[in-house]
Amino acid sequence: MLYVLIGEDAPTSLDARLAARPAHLARLEALRDEGRLFVAGPMPAIDSPDPGPAGFAGSLVIAEFDSLQSAEAWLAADPYVEAGVFARTRVHPYKKVLP
């Protein structure tokens, strides 16, 4: 089943985000290589594809997992979580309807 994983950035976490980004991307690439990644990306804090020092409001991942618990465990082990980038995380089942 697909799950949506949302991480909301903590204030002033941009430096921690940038430092943890290579390890975070490596985990996403592994999901992609397994054919389990639907979409992933950051949410800029301002209306710009390159928010600069304004940073990011958070990140969104939609991927396939065996269960809600496995999706939650995957997110809990993410380098952004371990580095304190995310102030809050959420995981929800997701049902793709369109397109």
Side-chain angles (χ1 to χ4, degrees), residues 5-28:
L5 292 69
I6 301 168
E8 297 176 14
D9 281 24
T12 68
S13 64
L14 182 58
D15 289 341
R17 174 184 270 274
L18 295 175
R21 187 171 189 262
H24 170 76
L25 289 177
R27 293 182 83 232
L28 290 171

Side-chain angles (χ1 to χ4, degrees), residues 33-53:
D33 294 347
E34 295 167 6
R36 297 171 43 206
L37 183 63
F38 181 70
V39 67
M43 298 178 286
I46 61 173
D47 190 11
S48 171
D50 181 7

Side-chain angles (χ1 to χ4, degrees), residues 2 31-38 62-66 74:
L2 291 173
L31 281 179
R32 179 201 61 206
D33 294 347
E34 295 167 6
R36 297 171 43 206
L37 183 63
F38 181 70
I62 300 176
E64 185 177 338
F65 291 92
D66 292 334
W74 188 92

Side-chain angles (χ1 to χ4, degrees), residues 83-97:
V85 173
F86 295 148
R88 182 175 113 125
T89 61
R90 299 186 321 250
V91 178
H92 300 280
Y94 178 76
K95 180 180 175 185
K96 182 179 184 283
V97 174

